[in-house]
Amino acid sequence: DRLEALSPDAAHVLLLAALVVGAYGAYPAGEVAEDVRERVEATGLARSDPSGRFVFRHPLVRSAVISRASEARRRQAHLALAARLPHDEPRRLVHEASAAAHPDEALAGRLERAGQRIAARGADAEGALLLDRAAMLSSDPADRARRMTWAAVTAARGGRLAHTGRLVEEVRRGPVPDDIAPLLAYAVVYVDQSHRIDFESSFTLLPGALDALAVPGADSFGGLAEQVFFKLLLAATYTDDARAWQALDKHLDDVSPLARLCHRAWSDPARTAQGAADELTLLSQGLNEEQEAGAAWLLLWTATAVDVADSGLWRRFTGQHAYATQGSVAKARYYQDFLLGRWDAADDCLQEAEASEELGYHCNALLFRHHYAHFLAGRGDEEGLKRIEALIGPAARRARMRFVTDHLDHLRALAALAHGRYEEAYSRIAELTPPGVLPAGLPWFHLPFFDFVDAAVHTGRREEAQRHLEAGRAARMAGISAHHAFLLAAAEALAAPDDEAEERYREACAVPGAERWVFETARLRLAHGAWLRRHRRAGARDVLLEARQVFSGLGAIPWEERCAAELRADGHQVGTRAEGREQLTGQETRIARLAATGLTNKDIGRQLQLSPRTVATHLYKIYPKLGITSRAALAQALREG
């Protein structure tokens, strides 16, 4: 009733304000005649704030203003708003597109160019909006399909996966020009991989796309071949499908040195990845900003293959391509968090999975839970591991994702090692990587390498352990990356004869960067301390105490208790977790100390680079461990130890 009572000029001003909100800021009330502004404010539906801009009483009021206006009035308002902005300003183009009643090729061309410019700067979601508008205004069906396909690809990179799916389906309903077939193939595969967790279209569409892009004089679509190659490599790594590997091998000469390095790092690393970590460092240093933006996924995936523990690498990609790149950054980060002993990140990893699910990136959600399973296995939490496996196992098996299902087999073996079930651990790992065999279909062969030798030695299979070590040496495993080198040296120490063991343990601990691999180094110290105790050598207590402290900080209770058992066997009085409250992890200790000084959750989060919600979750776990119920009691509880 109040809207209908407005005069035409007041209703027009209110409509202008409604169409501006959400597009850019708010409509400046100061430019409106005072009597008109007073009439608008008298309705109580909108007011001018102290900065002189119109603010609606409620978002639904804005919706009502727009929906009740006739189409002609809305077009008139959009044209008025467009006239206020520069000619090629994207916001002006959006208003002009909204005002258009018929196809307009000139305007469509301007929208397309603006969308591509914005997307090139990393604002993919905004670029996709302009490209979509350009498609709707196209007069030629081929141009419409071409622009809509570009919009689909750009929306996918911008984290609007559902939008991509709708655009792809719309393009496929009509005739698809031959020249955009590679681009459409990429868009289809993007949705299938990320949203549907289905890799079959990767093998049926992407090899043909690579063939088309390799034809001399073919449209490069702004370096699409690299992205198609990466998507196919991802599918090959996840499934080990021969069709994908054959197509990738065929087109190695058509892609960049970085893409070829990524292929080497994943295809058969025991035979092809020597020197990969060093080459990655050199290649990444030589990229300019524009090249780096296009190579983000290849860099991150190569770094994951060789366990490059360089947080600076993913910080370089902060803000790029919205969720598409940021999801890859997060996966790389949580994998490194596990390797580097930052196990307090486990809960954040699980929250990231839930966020991915909400965005429709179901494959990312599955992979985040897969990374979370690593933390559970390291802590020996077999019940938690079973729950995660029940959640992700069916989808991974349906998609033939050996990358995940094989990892789950290894993680079950790791959990069995935590509880001293060596026979079970050996049989599980030997199915993945038999004695002396480093399979091409297991690109992360180095991760169970140390575990295999550990289980073999504890079950009396020293010959099998030596065959595995010989395979590692023959593969020049130490030349792949620092982590590979450490795992080989640590396994050599475990299997060394008594007259060489002491020297081998020292050599393993002296491998450059060994201290970075926190969990595995603690396991090496546990084995070393146990060897020293059994052979009545000095220093066992100090080595075991150091390992126990690390396991305690990681929350790896079974491993901590094994250290305690060795210490008691060496004649030292050591309590167990069961005799007292559960200890705080390193992160919980830091949070508790900061909270005890009176800092808020927000202040603590800012210092530790955590969200206030994550801080609150940690505090929820800290209180029962300290036997308190409130923040006020923290300081006293910490003083009492």
Side-chain angles (χ1 to χ4, degrees):
D1 291 344
R2 279 178 277 175
L3 288 174
E4 290 178 353
L6 282 173
S7 62
D9 52 354
H12 181 65
V13 165
L14 202 56
L15 180 58
L16 292 175
L19 291 174
V20 168
V21 172
Y24 55 99
Y27 192 78
E31 296 182 13
V32 178
E34 187 174 350
D35 62 324
V36 174
R37 187 173 70 250
E38 288 175 353
R39 287 199 296 274
V40 169
E41 292 184 340
T43 66
L45 301 175
R47 60 178 175 78
S48 54
D49 66 9
S51 66
R53 294 179 180 273
F54 272 120
V55 178
F56 284 92
R57 175 182 174 184
H58 190 279
L60 288 177
V61 173
R62 172 179 172 257
S63 299
V65 169
I66 295 171
S67 65
R68 289 182 64 84
S70 67
E71 187 175 342
R73 283 182 55 209
R74 285 199 298 271
R75 282 204 295 270
Q76 181 187 6
H78 277 298
L79 287 172
L81 291 168
R84 299 164 51 88
L85 297 163
H87 180 69
D88 279 329
E89 163 69 51
R91 295 173 296 176
R92 174 178 180 138
L93 295 175
V94 170
H95 284 303
E96 287 188 29
S98 299
H102 306 285
D104 184 334
E105 187 56 38
L107 178 55
R110 289 167 59 210
L111 282 161
E112 180 180 7
R113 291 188 292 274
Q116 290 175 338
R117 282 198 307 272
I118 291 174
R121 296 198 297 266
D124 290 302
E126 294 80 359
L129 172 66
L130 296 181
L131 289 165
D132 194 2
R133 298 285 180 95
M136 289 189 290
L137 291 171
S138 300
S139 53
D140 180 73
D143 286 337
R144 182 177 184 275
R146 188 175 295 105
R147 286 161 176 158
M148 192 171 293
T149 304
W150 268 117
V153 171
T154 311
R157 290 202 309 248
R160 301 178 64 191
L161 206 53
H163 187 204
T164 297
R166 289 193 295 272
L167 290 172
V168 164
E169 290 305 314
E170 189 168 346
V171 173
R172 296 175 87 175
R173 280 198 289 268
V176 178
D178 291 340
D179 63 332
I180 64 162
L183 191 66
L184 181 59
Y186 178 75
V188 170
V189 166
Y190 203 113
V191 174
D192 284 351
Q193 285 191 7
S194 302
H195 183 64
R196 300 191 176 101
I197 320 181
D198 184 346
F199 297 93
E200 187 59 28
S201 63
S202 302
F203 314 132
T204 58
L205 296 178
L206 295 187
L210 283 175
D211 289 342
L213 291 165
V215 172
D219 189 343
S220 69
F221 296 100
L224 182 67
E226 292 281 290
Q227 301 306 317
V228 170
F229 188 90
F230 171 76
K231 281 294 183 186
L232 189 55
L233 178 57
L234 208 60
T237 306
Y238 285 156
T239 66
D240 197 32
D241 191 287
R243 292 171 292 175
W245 289 120
Q246 288 167 5
L248 291 165
D249 291 342
K250 177 182 176 182
H251 288 284
L252 281 173
D253 292 336
D254 301 322
V255 292
S256 68
L258 177 58
R260 291 197 294 273
L261 176 62
C262 192
H263 177 271
R264 275 180 49 209
W266 283 107
S267 60
D268 186 6
R271 265 67 58 182
T272 61
Q274 288 71 23
D278 293 337
E279 287 181 47
L280 176 64
T281 300
L282 290 173
L283 281 173
S284 63
Q285 289 173 347
L287 296 175
N288 61 39
E289 190 172 341
E290 183 177 346
Q291 291 170 325
E292 189 177 272
W297 296 343
L298 284 164
L299 282 170
L300 289 165
W301 193 229
T302 310
T304 298
V306 293
D307 300 340
V308 173
D310 179 9
S311 60
L313 181 64
W314 53 77
R315 284 176 189 155
R316 289 159 66 174
F317 306 119
T318 300
Q320 280 189 18
H321 296 305
Y323 183 77
T325 298
Q326 295 316 304
S328 297
V329 169
K331 284 181 290 188
R333 187 176 68 246
Y334 288 122
Y335 174 59
Q336 292 296 329
D337 284 340
F338 171 75
L339 295 180
L340 301 178
R342 297 193 289 255
W343 289 12
D344 294 312
D347 289 343
D348 292 338
C349 182
L350 204 54
Q351 289 176 15
E352 194 79 49
E354 293 166 4
S356 298
E357 207 79 82
E358 291 175 6
L359 288 170
Y361 279 77
H362 301 310
C363 190
N364 269 6
L366 185 153
L367 291 167
F368 280 122
R369 291 182 178 117
H370 151 261
H371 287 309
Y372 180 70
H374 285 64
F375 298 103
L376 296 173
R379 286 172 170 156
D381 184 353
E382 293 182 297
E383 288 303 313
L385 195 56
K386 285 178 185 175
R387 288 193 295 272
I388 286 293
E389 186 172 5
L391 195 60
I392 68 175
R397 286 188 288 273
R398 187 168 55 250
R400 297 184 295 110
M401 289 183 75
R402 281 192 56 190
F403 182 85
V404 173
T405 55
D406 286 355
H407 258 304
L408 289 172
D409 286 339
H410 170 228
L411 294 177
R412 283 197 297 269
L414 178 58
L417 283 175
H419 293 280
R421 300 198 306 274
Y422 297 105
E423 191 65 42
E424 176 189 337
Y426 179 85
S427 63
R428 287 188 183 280
I429 300 173
E431 286 203 9
L432 294 172
T433 170
V437 179
L438 308 177
L442 195 74
W444 40 272
F445 75 91
H446 62 297
L447 297 181
F449 189 91
F450 177 52
D451 300 336
F452 177 94
V453 174
D454 190 6
V457 169
H458 276 92
T459 56
R461 294 180 172 91
R462 288 193 169 271
E463 182 182 342
E464 287 85 343
Q466 287 301 329
R467 282 160 57 193
H468 221 58
L469 289 168
E470 287 167 10
R473 294 184 211 111
R476 294 181 290 126
M477 185 173 161
I480 296 175
S481 78
H483 193 206
H484 287 74
F486 171 73
L487 290 172
L488 177 61
E492 295 269 19
L494 288 187
D498 287 343
D499 59 339
E500 298 178 17
E502 182 64 24
E503 183 181 355
R504 291 283 180 267
Y505 278 114
R506 283 199 301 269
E507 287 176 354
C509 290
V511 170
E515 69 284 349
R516 287 183 296 177
W517 322 110
V518 175
F519 175 56
E520 290 151 342
T521 301
R523 287 178 57 193
L524 181 66
R525 290 198 175 105
L526 167 58
H528 186 198
W531 184 89
L532 290 170
R533 180 193 67 76
R534 288 196 307 273
H535 292 80
R536 301 182 182 281
R537 303 286 181 89
R541 178 179 180 275
D542 291 342
V543 175
L544 289 167
L545 282 173
E546 189 174 357
R548 189 186 187 214
Q549 184 178 8
V550 172
F551 289 135
S552 175
L554 294 174
I557 299 172
W559 294 98
E560 181 187 351
E561 290 176 348
R562 287 177 56 187
C563 289
E566 290 288 345
L567 285 163
R568 283 192 292 273
D570 200 35
H572 302 286
Q573 290 188 349
V574 181
T576 66
R577 283 285 184 119
E579 294 169 1
R581 297 190 188 99
E582 188 180 350
Q583 296 180 19
L584 301 186
T585 66
Q587 185 79 304
E588 287 171 347
T589 301
R590 289 188 285 274
I591 288 171
R593 286 174 176 161
L594 290 170
T597 67
L599 293 179
T600 65
N601 290 358
K602 189 174 181 181
D603 294 333
I604 296 169
R606 192 178 296 115
Q607 286 200 31
L608 300 181
Q609 295 185 325
L610 301 171
S611 70
R613 181 180 175 184
T614 300
V615 173
T617 300
H618 281 301
L619 286 170
Y620 180 78
K621 296 176 181 177
I622 288 168
Y623 294 161
K625 289 184 179 183
L626 295 179
I628 60 177
T629 58
S630 70
R631 201 184 195 98
L634 269 174
Q636 181 65 27
L638 291 172
R639 279 196 297 271
E640 292 173 355

